[in-house]
Amino acid sequence: MDPIYRALIVCTNHTDYPTKPYKTGLWLSEATHFYDELADRNLPYDIASPKGGAVPIDERSMDRRDTVNEKWYNDPTFRAKLDNSIPLADVRAENYQIIYFTGGHGTMWDFPDNEIVKRLTRQIYEKGGMVSAVCHGVSALLNVTLSDGTRLIDNRQVTGFSNMEEKLVRLDEEVPFLLEDALRKQNALYSKSLIPFLPYIEVDERLVTGQNPLSARKVGRKVLEEMYEK
């Protein structure tokens, strides 16, 4: 009989750009496509955010042609978890074997320096759990230090939203930093797809990262593959 794992899906609370009139937030498919993989195995999950409460959704990610978005955004249980996310301060690492950081530009402001993000990631990783992230959500891993004083991503294979992708969406001058540059500065072994916006993931033992929104499903699939083949 397969073991039962529980996943923590972490989303942003941040909505404002410095100068843009529109809002940011969670890029919806980065939660729904990842969870769609977990749902196939009936994995229990919770949705959390730094402040808790309703997770803001980037309106540009509300693609009605995306049947997976439609399915889960209209699912009462999933929607209730999005609308009533658990504050990270109330999360206990011992309850989870998987942590997954969704993206959306908002994460660039409220993930990297959040002490609880760093602590939960370290605790789940050090007890043998999977750490995963996609797109801008990879920013959560930038400042995670393990108990031995080393950085989680030091000399590890990772990916995340690229400089080129940021320029192509014309937000490279809005974000507080460029994720690709920041990962490289932290001595991560960054790589990316040769063509922007194509699905691309990196796997380094119990660390799984995806480059962009279209990578979320592949991240979920790989996380499960690694967990159930241990």
Side-chain angles (χ1 to χ4, degrees):
M1 184 175 175
D2 282 340
I4 297 296
Y5 299 120
R6 190 173 193 93
L8 183 69
I9 298 173
V10 185
C11 302
T12 184
N13 294 120
H14 188 91
T15 59
D16 295 328
Y17 287 108
T19 68
K20 298 292 184 186
Y22 51 83
K23 302 290 187 180
T24 181
L26 164 68
W27 197 266
L28 185 58
S29 65
E30 294 175 19
T32 58
H33 287 221
F34 177 86
Y35 177 66
D36 203 48
E37 291 293 316
L38 271 58
D40 285 344
R41 283 188 180 264
N42 295 312
L43 251 69
Y45 71 104
D46 292 307
I47 295 178
S49 62
K51 297 177 183 176
V55 170
I57 296 171
D58 191 315
E59 60 188 28
R60 295 167 301 156
S61 72
M62 298 287 287
D63 186 350
R64 300 297 179 187
R65 297 164 297 176
D66 185 331
T67 57
V68 177
N69 265 359
E70 285 290 284
K71 174 184 176 182
W72 293 115
Y73 192 66
N74 293 307
D75 177 83
T77 301
F78 189 87
R79 183 68 172 276
K81 288 176 185 278
L82 265 184
D83 290 343
N84 302 277
S85 67
I86 302 168
L88 282 179
D90 294 346
V91 170
R92 298 177 61 180
E94 59 264 34
N95 293 335
Y96 302 95
Q97 295 74 41
I98 299 166
I99 189 167
Y100 170 66
F101 293 98
T102 59
H105 281 84
T107 61
M108 301 284 277
W109 282 272
D110 64 357
F111 278 9
D113 297 316
N114 186 295
E115 293 300 326
I116 304 175
V117 162
K118 292 187 272 187
R119 174 176 57 79
L120 290 172
T121 304
R122 181 185 74 248
Q123 290 173 336
I124 290 172
Y125 182 78
E126 290 186 340
K127 68 185 183 69
M130 292 291 300
V131 171
S132 56
V134 73
C135 201
H136 293 93
V138 179
S139 66
L141 310 181
L142 282 169
N143 300 312
V144 176
T145 302
L146 302 177
S147 295
D148 64 3
T150 62
R151 289 189 183 272
L152 173 65
I153 61 172
D154 183 41
N155 208 34
R156 304 290 293 277
Q157 299 283 348
V158 300
T159 188
F161 208 59
S162 69
N163 291 352
M164 179 59 72
E165 288 168 325
E166 204 70 85
K167 287 171 183 170
L168 288 170
V169 299
R170 299 180 179 178
L171 290 168
D172 53 305
E173 295 186 1
E174 290 289 313
V175 290
F177 57 88
L178 294 174
L179 182 57
E180 176 182 337
D181 288 350
L183 289 166
R184 293 183 188 278
K185 285 177 184 174
Q186 296 286 26
N187 204 35
L189 305 177
Y190 178 88
S191 63
K192 58 187 173 183
S193 168
L194 292 174
I195 302 173
F197 304 113
L198 287 184
Y200 183 84
I201 68 170
E202 275 292 353
V203 184
D204 195 323
E205 296 180 334
R206 290 179 291 107
L207 180 62
V208 182
T209 49
Q211 182 178 333
N212 47 41
L214 286 178
S215 308
R217 180 176 294 281
K218 289 187 76 172
V219 171
R221 194 171 293 159
K222 191 63 181 178
V223 164
L224 293 177
E225 187 180 301
E226 294 292 317
M227 290 297 286
Y228 285 98
E229 287 186 1
K230 285 200 299 183

